[in-house]
Amino acid sequence: MITFIRDRIQKLENERGIVSSATNKKSYLHAKYLTIGFARRFAEYKRANLLLKNPERLLRILSNTERPVQFIFAGKAHPADVEGKKLIKNLIEFGRQNNVEDRFVFIEGYDMNVARHIVQGCDVWLNTPVKPMEASGTSGMKAGINGVLNCSVLDGWWPECYDGTNGWAINAGDFYTDYATAQTMEAEQIYDLIEYDIAPIFFERDAADQPLKWINMMKRSIYTVGRGFNMHRMVDEYTKLFYIPAIHAVHKLTADKNKELKNIINLRHQVDKYWSKIYIKDFFLKFPDPENVTSGNTVSIDAYVYLDEADKALFSVEVVYQYDGVDNVEIIPLTYKEKYPDKIVKFETKFKIKASGPQNLNIRVKPAFTSDIYKECHYIKWRTK
């Protein structure tokens, strides 16, 4: 990898007529340094410049003679992405202005061949997107299968794979609501990880100069990433979760002269007729003791929905109850109680409070599609104040 990068830099400078010493380029990168790679599309949310938050501390890491560290950057920005191009410019300027170009390297002309060398040659793969904007993170998967240890924000694929033994998690930003503070804390966490965790493990050698703990982590990375993130799994899950159910759905929709399909179309037409008119007028909570609400109490809810002349069976009314963090959500259906002369319909239900602390709930109304095939719902209305 290092030979490839040196030759590539020299070749690009020769093509541009830049006169510099070939000997100078041979000093770029060092085979025994801890090598951290960052290669991907340069978009603002991927935060390639997060490392530059504290330049003094970054330079201290780069100038450490006992545990030397070097960074390799590669990638391209979209031609119309001005901010993405600025990220690249900032990285190159940092290396030049601080005279660390030999260990803070940006590789131009990113392509599959560059990626192939980097995902095989780096020691650590750095990934710093803003949560929750990472779609997947396939570059980290490729690196991990090659024994490169991921150091990444817990977003995309990494939360599913990370187990504490196959890499590192960047999560300091999760504890702050202010974006600027979160960025600063994540940058400081990266510096801490490199200085006090990653580099010490990498440079801990046995009598044969082998980093045994690091090698064990590499093996764990190859095993966990290779086992769970591959084309075999992708094809298997697409087939079982999507393709086969889709085939069964087509058979059911078209059976008996498209009977099921006609029923769904008819239901959609009825919903369309009334959808613009209906709304949630109000809802009320009833507690056993409003002054002392505790976990385990049973809460009664009455919701009042204007349905115009629509059949109440066309729509379902639900409570969306969120408790103990954003990931714990319960959907609770309400049952029909009575209809009033002003076309307001009352629905009611009961449920138990499942946790302490801040909790949220709201009422929504949506079409009551009962088909086990047609589950998509493009219509939904919430109670708004």
Side-chain angles (χ1 to χ4, degrees), residues 259-276:
K259 180 180 178 180
E260 182 75 5
L261 180 60
K262 290 175 182 177
N263 289 338
I264 291 172
I265 293 172
N266 179 55
L267 182 61
R268 282 291 301 268
H269 285 163
Q270 293 182 62
V271 170
D272 287 342
K273 180 179 177 181
Y274 296 104
W275 186 250
S276 63

Side-chain angles (χ1 to χ4, degrees), residues 38 42-55 58 73 83-84 86-91 94 104 126 128 179 183 187 190-191:
F38 183 103
F42 274 71
E44 192 171 13
Y45 81 90
K46 293 180 182 287
R47 298 188 300 179
N49 61 345
L50 188 61
L51 277 171
L52 306 183
K53 275 287 180 183
N54 188 337
L58 177 57
F73 297 88
E83 295 304 316
K86 285 182 181 178
L87 296 177
I88 297 173
K89 181 173 181 286
N90 291 341
L91 293 172
F94 176 85
F104 199 83
L126 185 63
T128 55
Y179 178 66
Q183 284 208 109
I190 294 171
Y191 304 139

Side-chain angles (χ1 to χ4, degrees), residues 141-273:
M141 297 178 197
K142 288 182 288 187
I145 290 176
N146 278 275
V148 179
L149 304 183
N150 277 271
C151 180
S152 173
V153 170
L154 287 170
D155 195 14
W157 74 292
W158 190 230
E160 183 183 343
C161 184
Y162 171 68
D163 65 5
T165 67
N166 57 357
W168 296 271
I170 302 168
N171 60 359
D174 297 349
F175 305 98
Y176 301 88
T177 55
D178 179 68
Y179 178 66
T181 303
Q183 284 208 109
T184 300
M185 297 311 297
E186 284 179 332
E188 291 298 324
Q189 185 183 22
I190 294 171
Y191 304 139
D192 285 345
L193 284 171
I194 295 172
E195 285 191 295
Y196 306 125
D197 198 348
I198 299 175
I201 296 173
F202 182 80
F203 288 104
E204 181 184 331
R205 307 295 171 113
D206 66 1
D209 197 33
Q210 296 300 317
L212 297 183
K213 187 175 180 180
W214 188 273
I215 292 170
N216 286 333
M217 292 185 71
M218 291 174 67
K219 291 178 179 179
R220 183 67 183 169
S221 173
I222 294 169
Y223 171 70
T224 54
V225 181
R227 174 190 61 179
F229 302 90
N230 53 64
M231 288 297 293
H232 295 288
R233 174 188 170 188
M234 188 199 78
V235 172
D236 181 67
E237 290 190 359
Y238 266 73
T239 301
K240 292 177 179 177
L241 299 178
F242 300 102
Y243 299 148
I244 292 176
I247 292 169
H248 290 323
V250 169
H251 289 324
K252 189 169 183 178
L253 286 169
T254 56
D256 196 12
K257 296 183 179 180
N258 302 319
K259 180 180 178 180
E260 182 75 5
L261 180 60
K262 290 175 182 177
N263 289 338
I264 291 172
I265 293 172
N266 179 55
L267 182 61
R268 282 291 301 268
H269 285 163
Q270 293 182 62
V271 170
D272 287 342
K273 180 179 177 181

Side-chain angles (χ1 to χ4, degrees), residues 302-321:
D302 294 335
Y304 297 87
V305 183
Y306 178 79
L307 291 182
D308 196 55
E309 299 293 341
D311 183 348
K312 64 181 184 298
L314 272 177
F315 302 97
S316 63
V317 181
E318 300 172 336
V319 176
V320 179
Y321 172 44

Side-chain angles (χ1 to χ4, degrees), residues 41-183:
R41 179 171 61 89
F42 274 71
E44 192 171 13
Y45 81 90
K46 293 180 182 287
R47 298 188 300 179
N49 61 345
L50 188 61
L51 277 171
L52 306 183
K53 275 287 180 183
N54 188 337
E56 291 78 15
R57 190 164 183 195
L58 177 57
L59 287 170
R60 189 175 79 197
I61 292 171
L62 289 167
S63 60
N64 189 316
T65 56
E66 293 184 6
R67 295 170 180 164
V69 179
Q70 60 194 4
F71 293 86
I72 298 173
F73 297 88
K76 294 179 180 178
H78 187 280
D81 186 358
V82 176
E83 295 304 316
K85 294 175 185 177
K86 285 182 181 178
L87 296 177
I88 297 173
K89 181 173 181 286
N90 291 341
L91 293 172
I92 294 173
E93 287 181 345
F94 176 85
R96 288 176 178 170
Q97 292 171 359
N98 294 283
N99 198 30
V100 290
E101 285 182 280
D102 62 327
R103 63 189 68 185
F104 199 83
V105 179
F106 180 82
I107 307 170
E108 297 183 48
Y110 186 55
D111 57 20
M112 291 182 67
N113 193 33
V114 172
R116 180 174 67 86
H117 282 84
I118 298 176
V119 298
Q120 292 177 1
C122 288
D123 301 305
V124 176
W125 200 255
L126 185 63
N127 186 38
T128 55
V130 176
K131 287 179 67 176
M133 298 182 70
E134 181 78 308
S136 180
T138 52
S139 67
M141 297 178 197
K142 288 182 288 187
I145 290 176
N146 278 275
V148 179
L149 304 183
N150 277 271
C151 180
S152 173
V153 170
L154 287 170
D155 195 14
W157 74 292
W158 190 230
E160 183 183 343
C161 184
Y162 171 68
D163 65 5
T165 67
N166 57 357
W168 296 271
I170 302 168
N171 60 359
D174 297 349
F175 305 98
Y176 301 88
T177 55
D178 179 68
Y179 178 66
T181 303
Q183 284 208 109

Side-chain angles (χ1 to χ4, degrees), residues 6-60:
R6 289 173 178 172
D7 291 344
R8 189 178 183 87
I9 293 173
Q10 189 66 56
K11 181 174 180 292
L12 286 171
E13 290 195 353
N14 291 342
E15 290 175 351
R16 294 172 180 170
I18 299 174
V19 179
S20 63
S21 170
T23 305
N24 180 48
K25 295 299 174 285
K26 289 180 181 178
S27 68
Y28 271 47
L29 304 175
H30 306 266
K32 293 189 177 183
Y33 284 15
L34 170 64
T35 305
I36 300 175
F38 183 103
R40 52 185 49 86
R41 179 171 61 89
F42 274 71
E44 192 171 13
Y45 81 90
K46 293 180 182 287
R47 298 188 300 179
N49 61 345
L50 188 61
L51 277 171
L52 306 183
K53 275 287 180 183
N54 188 337
E56 291 78 15
R57 190 164 183 195
L58 177 57
L59 287 170
R60 189 175 79 197

